[in-house]
Amino acid sequence: MVTVKKAVKKTTARKKKAPARKKTAVKKRLAARKTTARKTIKKRPAAKKTVRKKTAAKKRPAARKKTAARKKTAAKKRPAARKKTAARKKTAAKKRPAARKKTTARKTTARKRTAKKTSAAAK
């Protein structure tokens, strides 16, 4: 004769879940309070000034360089297909009139620089 084991009811799982759910609710409430506080702080004039300063700092050449470098590293980590699309977009951007103007200006300045060097060497 084979003994059949009785199925044990699992009630512990439900008991554990309830307090966890409560905890998440509390956490959410706290997070909401934090976000509202942050928003109010952002509205203050001093905070606005700091934000303006931060944005200005981002536009500075050194920061621009850093962001460009960060983007490059991110691009390296991306999958190949997305890399290709990004490259295509970049080339397209280079062909736009404003970019063309910039490249020509850069080239002229470079030419002037080399001319100066050659003239100095000739002297």
Side-chain angles (χ1 to χ4, degrees):
M1 193 183 153
V2 181
T3 53
V4 181
K5 276 187 182 177
K6 269 190 180 177
V8 181
K9 269 189 180 178
K10 284 188 178 177
T11 52
T12 50
R14 199 179 298 133
K15 274 180 189 170
K16 275 181 188 171
K17 268 182 187 173
R21 216 178 291 129
K22 239 183 212 171
K23 271 181 192 171
T24 51
V26 169
K27 273 182 186 173
K28 274 181 184 174
R29 223 174 300 132
L30 283 170
R33 211 179 290 157
K34 267 185 188 173
T35 50
T36 49
R38 213 177 288 130
K39 278 175 186 172
T40 50
I41 288 164
K42 273 183 183 175
K43 281 173 186 171
R44 288 175 194 161
K48 281 179 183 174
K49 196 180 180 183
T50 51
V51 168
R52 268 203 304 274
K53 275 185 177 178
K54 270 185 180 176
T55 46
K58 280 176 192 169
K59 284 169 189 172
R60 279 188 204 118
R64 277 236 174 106
K65 263 187 187 173
K66 275 177 191 171
T67 47
R70 215 182 301 116
K71 276 182 182 176
K72 266 186 186 172
T73 49
K76 277 177 189 171
K77 285 169 191 174
R78 256 185 243 130
R82 277 176 75 193
K83 274 184 205 170
K84 278 175 187 172
T85 51
R88 215 177 297 124
K89 274 183 181 176
K90 236 182 187 178
T91 48
K94 278 176 191 171
K95 285 168 189 173
R96 282 190 204 115
R100 277 234 174 106
K101 265 186 186 174
K102 277 176 186 171
T103 48
T104 48
R106 214 183 300 118
K107 278 179 182 174
T108 49
T109 49
R111 214 178 291 125
K112 278 177 187 172
R113 213 178 289 123
T114 49
K116 241 186 203 174
K117 278 180 185 172
T118 48
S119 64
K123 280 176 187 175

